[in-house]
Amino acid sequence: MREEGRPAFTLRRPVGGVERDCARTLLPLVPTSLSRPPRRPTLLIVGCGDVGLRVLRLLRGRWRVFALTSSPQRRAELRAAGAVPLVGNLDEPATLGRLGALADAVLHLAPPPSSGPGDPRTANLLRALARGGRVRRLVYMSTSGVYGDCAGARFDETRAVAPATDRGRRRVDAEWQVRRFGRRGVTACVLRVPGIYALDRPGGSPAERLQRGTPVLAPDDDVYTNHIHADDLARACVAALARGAPQRVYHASDDTELRMGDYFDLAADLLALPRPPRITREQARAQLSPMLLSFMSESRRLDNRRLKRELRLRLRYPTAAEGLTAAANQ
């Protein structure tokens, strides 16, 4: 039950989906006197990179947003984007002491460390949040890599996780911590996110890989990959803050069903670039980095009906073809 004086996260009006600007549907409802307007809810974004900045654009003027950064040099950028910058480091728990009492909701976008069996960063964050006792909602951005290789199967969020890499196992650990934290009376949910693309996203444009001439697998060896435009992912984050159910997992993915090579062929045609060369899996093992090879070793198709039905998200770019076409025509 919501404590007296805490803001509830409700909708301005019932809607059938997250409309043009999903932030417009959010309205805090706080017990106040008639002489005072309701205060804006407060959000803490942890790991405010590209996706976090897109979330800020959606919520600007509607929420008060704090953004945690480990880089003091980013304070001016975050302030200009509409956030109150906070300097702290998830690897240094002593720098996180203030966090628990600042915000009604938390959007956790920070990745785990690049090594180790678990995610101590998430553990440090959740301990800091627990000390303050204010947080009522928590949304964690995970990865679809927690499923490992699924041999091209199409499935929903009830499928068991089976990570094939240490990177995926660290994400499973983080998810487990977040959902356990939700048993403390916090509405905690998880977004499992596939490949994020956008031509204006650092590292998110297929043009960069196409220009390098990085090969893709031959059709007989190719794998299914899943995608989400960065703008739609930001809208999914806002929808989860508003409507995410306790302990619930959501596939934050679009409707695309393409093999990896077909995706890059599509991008090449739309961006007027050469299609990538095709190689066999045996050749890939000899030519490509272990990281890239790991992505080419997992094939799955994510069912996103829960995202659209429960979070009521209407994708602006339902397929990668639509997202890339819109960007190419800008």
Side-chain angles (χ1 to χ4, degrees), residues 199-283:
L199 298 191
D200 61 346
R201 171 181 165 84
S205 172
E208 299 173 17
R209 177 166 161 171
L210 291 167
Q211 289 164 345
R212 291 195 300 268
T214 305
V216 295
L217 291 174
D220 289 345
D221 292 324
D222 210 357
V223 296
Y224 281 103
T225 57
N226 303 270
H227 308 273
I228 184 76
H229 192 284
D231 286 344
D232 276 333
L233 178 55
R235 296 170 68 244
C237 290
V238 174
L241 287 167
R243 306 185 186 102
Q247 303 292 314
R248 204 66 160 157
V249 174
Y250 302 93
H251 287 163
S253 180
D254 68 16
D255 302 333
T256 302
E257 289 198 2
L258 282 176
R259 295 184 185 271
M260 184 182 292
D262 296 333
Y263 167 75
F264 283 104
D265 282 350
L266 170 69
D269 294 346
L270 290 172
L271 300 174
L273 292 169
R275 288 188 172 191
R278 297 273 189 159
I279 59 176
T280 65
R281 183 168 295 280
E282 183 177 352
Q283 290 171 319

Side-chain angles (χ1 to χ4, degrees), residues 4 51-52 92 98 143 146 161 163 235 241 264 268 276 296 299 303:
E4 190 68 14
V51 173
E92 300 174 10
R98 305 174 52 197
T143 171
V146 297
V161 297
R235 296 170 68 244
L241 287 167
F264 283 104
M296 292 180 167
S299 183
D303 185 320

